[in-house]
Amino acid sequence: MTTMRDAWRLATGTLTALPVRPPTRVDRRTARTAMLLAPLAVLPLGVLVAMLLWLGGLTSLPPLAVAFVAVGALAVGSRALHWDGLSDVADGLTASYDRERSLAVMKTGTSGPAGVTATVVVAGTQAAALTAYSHSIALAALAGALVCLSRCALWVVCCTRVPAARADGLGVTYTRTVPLPVAVLGGVLLSVTGGLAVLVLVRRATTRFGGVTGDVFGAAIELALATMLLTWAWL
């Protein structure tokens, strides 16, 4: 019971801006459970996105404007940590073919040209795709569900087959904690396109950085969400 409570607090406190008590203990078992709870922990954010899209659809506001507000609200609700990760990963991948140099660039926390471009493209893709979800409450609810399911990307990134790039940092406690069958299930829940996008990212990060970091966690979430929203909008 204590582990579950700590895991829930860890997942909610890490993945959302909702105020929660800090966990009493954070170990790899707690981290694994927190990653498994990730889709449920962000349920309030999914509901927020769904409500914004549905209410926006009832007005005469431009759908794209409503969609950008939803993307912005989601970013605020997660303290924009995932966007910071996406930006850092893009900068790291384009900075150098040297592993240590790339990791150093990612650790600076500043956004370079590649990071800014990646953020604009992915955020723009999410917003453009979300315009298709404001036509009914059912579609708005689907968008909210996809927000939650996109966090299954963490199951893939934290798979026991995926190493950590650093011996320290945020990602170390979480990496190699999720069993392979659960990671495979996560890829399935992300849809074919979302799962492939995360797999490509993880493969690229492992090749270039020697493994994944906390920044890769965030990048995987935002990339998965953009891909899933676009796929279901097309369907």
Side-chain angles (χ1 to χ4, degrees):
M1 181 63 71
T2 301
T3 299
M4 181 61 70
R5 182 170 58 248
D6 283 341
W8 182 256
R9 290 174 177 174
L10 181 61
T12 304
T14 303
L15 300 174
T16 76
L18 298 175
V20 293
R21 291 183 178 180
T24 57
R25 180 180 181 181
V26 177
D27 53 20
R28 292 182 63 78
R29 181 183 177 188
T30 305
R32 178 180 66 248
T33 307
M35 293 297 94
L36 298 180
L37 291 173
L40 292 178
V42 299
L43 183 59
L45 302 185
V47 172
L48 173 63
V49 169
M51 291 299 295
L52 287 173
L53 293 175
W54 176 56
L55 293 175
L58 298 178
T59 70
S60 58
L61 292 171
L64 186 58
V66 174
F68 265 111
V69 170
V71 171
L74 184 56
V76 172
S78 59
R79 297 191 301 274
L81 285 178
H82 309 323
W83 291 108
D84 179 68
L86 175 67
S87 176
D88 287 344
V89 169
D91 284 334
L93 288 174
T94 58
S96 170
Y97 283 104
D98 179 74
R99 172 181 177 274
E100 295 302 327
R101 170 61 179 162
S102 295
L103 290 174
V105 168
M106 293 168 63
K107 203 170 184 178
T108 61
T110 58
S111 293
V116 172
T117 301
T119 302
V120 170
V121 170
V122 176
T125 300
Q126 290 183 6
L130 280 174
T131 60
Y133 295 86
S134 60
H135 303 301
S136 70
I137 190 170
L139 289 173
L142 173 59
L146 293 177
V147 168
C148 297
L149 287 175
S150 67
R151 274 54 184 176
C152 290
L154 294 173
W155 300 1
V156 179
V157 181
C158 296
C159 177
T160 52
R161 300 290 183 89
V162 181
R166 296 190 183 100
D168 58 355
L170 175 64
V172 174
T173 305
Y174 300 90
T175 51
R176 292 189 182 274
T177 59
V178 176
L180 179 60
V182 179
V184 172
L185 174 62
V188 172
L189 292 175
L190 290 173
S191 77
V192 174
T193 54
L196 284 175
V198 174
L199 283 175
V200 170
L201 174 64
V202 170
R203 174 63 178 172
R204 187 62 174 163
T206 303
T207 302
R208 287 291 308 280
F209 310 142
V212 296
T213 66
D215 287 329
V216 178
F217 293 6
I221 288 174
E222 296 301 344
L223 189 61
L225 180 57
T227 307
M228 293 169 71
L229 288 173
L230 197 60
T231 299
W232 282 97
W234 175 68
L235 292 174

